[in-house]
Amino acid sequence: MAHGRGAAPKAQRAIPDRVGSASADTVDPAAMAGGAWTGFCVLLLGGLALPLVTAYTQIGPTLLSAVTGIIGFAVAGARIGAARRPAVHGMTTAVASYLLFLPIMYGFSQTQIPVVMAVTATAGITGAVAGHLRSWSLSIAANAGNEI
């Protein structure tokens, strides 16, 4: 059938968004890339400083690695940008920062798979909490100006 004057245009069929799906507008790609690289840099600097700090202090390497990891994951997860779901964005960003650091960690140690899985879960939880808290603090700050 020809699309002349009398022909009706084809109706666009909307694709329904599934509940709980991670759609493209759930995360802010630019903020995610920046957050992942920032978290990676924190993890890298913490890993490089580990031998120096443990040589001159009484802090154990396991404790220092855990603190560095949590700080790196929280910094990565707090970079939410304009994400619609800040907890999902924070979780994804923190796990991405760990995945960037993982090949370096495997290059210098014999890390076991259960440890990698535990650290990945820690990254996800820490990033989700950091993203949610960052969103919450931004909403409080935005509403503080309206309460006069």
Side-chain angles (χ1 to χ4, degrees), residues 13-29:
R13 187 170 60 110
I15 300 172
D17 188 23
R18 294 178 301 208
V19 175
S21 69
S23 60
D25 58 348
T26 299
V27 297
D28 181 3

Side-chain angles (χ1 to χ4, degrees), residues 22 27 32 73 76-78 80 85-98 120-132:
V27 297
M32 184 176 159
F73 301 147
I80 58 170
R85 296 182 183 163
V88 173
H89 178 84
M91 175 184 64
T92 308
T93 304
V95 170
S97 70
Y98 178 61
T120 304
T122 303
I125 292 168
T126 305
V129 169
H132 178 72

Side-chain angles (χ1 to χ4, degrees), residues 56-146:
Y56 292 108
T57 64
Q58 296 297 323
I59 299 174
T62 305
L63 177 65
L64 189 61
S65 295
V67 169
T68 301
I70 289 174
I71 290 171
F73 301 147
V75 167
R79 297 260 181 133
I80 58 170
R84 257 187 24 195
R85 296 182 183 163
V88 173
H89 178 84
M91 175 184 64
T92 308
T93 304
V95 170
S97 70
Y98 178 61
L99 292 178
L100 288 171
F101 185 70
L102 193 59
I104 296 171
M105 190 172 74
Y106 261 125
F108 292 110
S109 68
Q110 297 296 323
T111 306
Q112 301 297 321
I113 297 298
V115 173
V116 172
M117 291 171 54
V119 175
T120 304
T122 303
I125 292 168
T126 305
V129 169
H132 178 72
L133 290 177
R134 178 70 176 157
S135 170
W136 180 66
S137 69
L138 289 175
S139 67
I140 288 176
N143 291 332
N146 297 334

